[in-house]
Amino acid sequence: MKLGCVADDYTGATDLAGLLRRSGASVKLHFGLPKTPSDGLADIEIVALKCRTEPVDQAISDCADAAHWLLAGGANQLYWKYCSTFDSTAEGNIGPVAEALMAVTGQTQALYCPAFPENGRAVFMGHLFVADQLLNESSMKDHPLTPMDDANLARVLAPQVKGSVGIWNRVDQKQGMPIPDAIHIIGDAVEFADLEFLIENTPRNVLLTGGSALAMPLPNHLGIASTHQVGDPKPDSRALILSGSCSQMTQQQVAEYAVNHPSYQLHPENLGEATIQDCVNWLQSLQSTETPLVFATASPEAVKAAQSALGVTEAGAIIERAMAQIAQKAFEMGVRRFVVAGGETSGAVTQALQVSEVMIGREICPGVPWVFSGSDSNLVGLALKSGNFGSPSFFSDALALLED
Ligand code: ADP
């Protein structure tokens, strides 16, 4: 293994895996910290955690364990991956985990660049843009767990870390200025060439952290890019879509898919065993050739109402538990293709299906590959999409790609 990555949620990890796979390097993705040591055979290994919204101490210890595991497996370069919208709170976990990983590797600085030009995420003068909107004016302001109310990443990061925060801005980069002296540095990047510049010009004493796109130049840089590509496996065709993301794009995707396909809405205020059973009965009543959609996706107003009735954590947890149970039942019914919208939701579903390690397949859209686990009759394909990714036709696009 040449490159070891720690990712803070499951969809983010599959996004990273898909982009790195484009290089032709072999990529193995683990959901959760593996219990046995790495065989070190894959060029790149990624440990996906569910630590984006964990208590800070827990996130630090989980990520440090993952870093030790990767280094023990032979990684000579570490990468800390978080969301391209810098999802975090004043407590963390982006900054505290970076500090913990620096302590593990002995690196003295950390570079932060969530830019993902292909998906419209750009950082300029330390400010994060989502397409043409500042982060705090984008739909991220309404995120159920990590609402982002400031686009200035230096200001967002400062309360999370102990050391100084600086910006390596694009104007200075163009003039050949080296990385600033601060401990924590926000790196500007607007286009892919900027990401290549950052990777080529960041010294070894600097921990690399960012969205998935900053890692893209690494396979070339580390000499593990390859032209050898293998085909995707084909799981049995019965499929189910589960959507627990409430992002604006997912709302569009759900609305578009529900027009022509059977769909079932879950409401957190009314989601006991009886409702889950009702949903399962409904799935059983459908033709196996139909791909149904089960969704909790709702407007910001509906999410706020559920959260004030149940509490933020409990509202999310109720949905996640229900999605997990429904996925298990669907698997028992023979479903082998799962399209899941939502980072937390994907974590709950993959855990429920006891998927711990996957091979990376073709991308459905930038940042969302199909991934495959198991073999023979237990071969399962998963498309794990974080909230804002994909176009309005994502669900149909995902299903169609496996029909190719
Ligand atoms: P995203 O990738 O868009 O951030 P996540 O699945 O990570 O999606 O997060 C969405 C969170 O919102 C989950 O915890 C989910 O259970 C929760 N949620 C989904 N639907 C509702 C709803 N109707 N009301 C309240 N919370 C919800």
Side-chain angles (χ1 to χ4, degrees):
M1 184 197 336
K2 284 280 173 46
L3 171 62
C5 309
V6 182
D8 72 348
D9 84 339
Y10 286 15
T11 45
T14 52
D15 158 17
L16 176 66
L19 294 183
L20 289 170
R21 183 78 188 89
R22 281 187 198 172
S23 70
S26 57
V27 182
K28 197 187 265 186
L29 167 59
H30 307 272
F31 294 114
L33 183 63
K35 294 191 175 60
T36 51
S38 164
D39 60 16
L41 295 178
D43 298 320
I44 300 170
E45 290 195 62
I46 302 170
V47 177
L49 300 173
K50 265 185 111 210
C51 63
R52 182 169 300 165
T53 53
E54 269 183 352
V56 179
D57 289 346
Q58 187 67 48
I60 285 176
S61 107
D62 289 350
C63 292
D65 288 349
H68 284 298
W69 185 89
L70 290 162
L71 294 173
N76 49 23
Q77 170 85 52
L78 270 196
Y79 189 82
W80 164 222
K81 152 75 176 80
Y82 40 80
C83 189
S84 65
T85 40
F86 214 72
D87 300 20
S88 54
T89 67
E91 286 74 47
N93 292 331
I94 292 175
V97 167
E99 288 178 329
L101 297 190
M102 287 162 69
V104 170
T105 61
Q107 286 164 305
T108 52
Q109 289 174 284
L111 177 72
Y112 302 76
C113 182
F116 190 163
E118 218 178 312
N119 267 358
R121 316 299 194 257
V123 182
F124 185 66
M125 294 293 161
H127 287 66
L128 178 55
F129 289 81
V130 178
D132 59 354
Q133 291 178 310
L134 283 163
L135 176 67
N136 56 304
E137 292 167 9
S138 76
S139 59
M140 280 305 296
K141 68 183 186 305
D142 298 316
H143 189 277
L145 305 175
T146 49
M148 301 301 291
D149 60 9
D150 194 353
N152 181 323
L153 298 185
R155 230 161 30 209
V156 172
L157 187 60
Q160 300 183 22
V161 292
K162 296 184 192 80
S164 51
V165 180
I167 296 171
W168 194 6
N169 77 51
R170 196 162 179 266
V171 176
D172 288 348
Q173 289 172 21
K174 294 279 175 204
Q175 289 173 356
M177 301 276 278
I179 193 164
D181 281 339
I183 308 288
H184 304 275
I185 298 120
I186 306 293
D188 273 6
V190 173
E191 54 188 11
F192 187 69
D194 300 334
L195 298 172
E196 290 178 313
F197 172 91
L198 291 175
I199 291 300
E200 297 301 328
N201 292 281
T202 298
R204 294 281 303 171
N205 68 304
V206 183
L207 175 75
L208 294 172
T209 88
S212 48
L214 178 65
M216 285 174 74
L218 275 172
N220 250 332
H221 185 67
L222 299 172
I224 49 177
S226 151
T227 49
H228 177 71
Q229 297 276 358
V230 284
D232 288 352
K234 241 186 179 336
D236 192 79
S237 64
R238 195 155 178 194
L240 172 65
I241 302 168
L242 296 165
S243 177
S245 158
C246 297
S247 76
Q248 221 166 48
M249 180 49 77
T250 308
Q251 290 183 56
Q252 284 184 49
Q253 289 160 345
V254 165
E256 175 160 326
Y257 191 81
V259 171
N260 290 319
H261 301 89
S263 59
Y264 190 106
Q265 183 168 12
L266 304 174
H267 300 276
E269 297 94 331
N270 158 31
L271 194 46
E273 290 301 322
T275 311
I276 293 171
Q277 190 55 50
D278 185 62
C279 176
V280 171
N281 293 344
W282 172 78
L283 289 175
Q284 262 159 346
S285 72
L286 299 171
Q287 302 270 352
S288 64
T289 48
E290 283 184 297
T291 297
L293 162 68
V294 175
F295 68 101
T297 306
S299 66
E301 298 73 37
V303 170
K304 284 208 177 79
Q307 290 179 334
S308 52
L310 300 162
V312 174
T313 313
E314 189 53 17
I318 288 172
I319 301 280
E320 288 170 36
R321 280 196 298 266
M323 292 291 185
Q325 280 188 42
I326 292 165
Q328 271 169 347
K329 293 284 183 198
F331 182 84
E332 287 166 19
M333 279 177 226
V335 172
R336 293 292 182 270
R337 300 179 183 191
F338 292 86
V339 179
V340 189
E344 300 293 327
T345 312
S346 295
V349 169
T350 39
Q351 274 174 2
L353 296 176
Q354 297 181 323
V355 170
S356 58
E357 190 178 294
V358 290
M359 299 172 307
I360 308 305
R362 279 184 299 166
E363 282 180 293
I364 301 153
C365 63
V368 192
W370 272 102
V371 302
F372 302 95
S373 91
S375 57
D376 304 326
S377 65
N378 284 333
L379 176 67
V380 171
L382 294 154
L384 308 173
K385 181 194 85 84
S386 57
N388 286 306
F389 281 27
S391 68
S393 60
F394 175 82
F395 295 144
S396 304
D397 297 346
L399 297 167
L401 191 65
L402 281 197
E403 296 305 327
D404 268 3

